[in-house]
């Protein structure tokens, strides 16, 4: 039997206060992202992962976003842009970046988000 899983906006105990680690990026344009990722749930056979993520400010470029990722911003903001659009997402905003997206992730401030990824 599987029970519902509560995602806390502060992550597991100590998540927001813990020292961050260098985070992987696509093509790094600016900054040096440091943060943390906590996976609340994974279902490998469905290639699904759900969690909370935090990072310092940075900008990166994606030639080909590797997954479908649904996000909800908890703190901070991000601007996602390509040659056709530029969207700013603030706390409480929910959005999806589809696999294959080509463009910029511009995160000028520290940010925390929930995510659900299908690889």
């Amino acid at each position: 039997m599987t029970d519902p899983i509560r995602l806390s906006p502060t992550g597991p105990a100590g998540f927001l206060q813990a020292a961050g680690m260098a985070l992987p990026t696509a093509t790094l344009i600016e900054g040096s992202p440091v943060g943390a990722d906590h996976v609340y749930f994974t279902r490998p056979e469905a290639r699904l992962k759900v969690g909370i993520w935090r990072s310092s400010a940075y900008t990166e470029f994606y030639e080909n976003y590797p997954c479908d990722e649904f996000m909800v911003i908890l703190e901070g903001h991000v601007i996602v842009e390509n040659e056709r659009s530029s969207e700013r997402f603030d706390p409480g905003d929910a959005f999806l970046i589809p696999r294959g997206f080509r463009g910029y992730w511009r995160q000028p401030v520290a940010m925390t988000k929930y995510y659900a990824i299908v690889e």
Side-chain angles (χ1 to χ4, degrees), residues 19-36 53-62 105 107 109-111:
M21 298 172 23
L23 297 173
T25 65
T27 302
L28 187 62
I29 305 297
E30 183 177 58
S32 183
V34 174
W53 175 92
R54 67 178 174 88
S55 174
S56 60
Y58 73 105
T59 298
E60 66 184 325
F61 177 78
Y62 283 95
W105 174 275
Q107 185 185 311
V109 297
M111 192 179 87

Side-chain angles (χ1 to χ4, degrees), residues 18-98:
M21 298 172 23
L23 297 173
T25 65
T27 302
L28 187 62
I29 305 297
E30 183 177 58
S32 183
V34 174
D37 181 12
H38 174 77
V39 177
Y40 279 102
F41 176 80
T42 186
R43 186 174 304 261
E45 67 275 15
R47 299 179 359 205
L48 172 67
K49 181 169 69 168
V50 176
I52 188 171
W53 175 92
R54 67 178 174 88
S55 174
S56 60
Y58 73 105
T59 298
E60 66 184 325
F61 177 78
Y62 283 95
E63 185 63 42
N64 186 4
Y65 205 72
C67 60
D68 294 314
E69 183 174 0
F70 174 77
M71 298 170 241
V72 177
I73 304 297
L74 300 171
E75 291 184 2
H77 67 271
V78 64
I79 299 153
V80 179
E81 63 185 36
N82 61 20
E83 62 278 351
R84 291 177 304 283
S85 68
S86 179
E87 294 283 337
R88 176 179 162 141
F89 299 100
D90 294 299
D93 288 342
F95 63 103
L96 173 87
I97 296 184

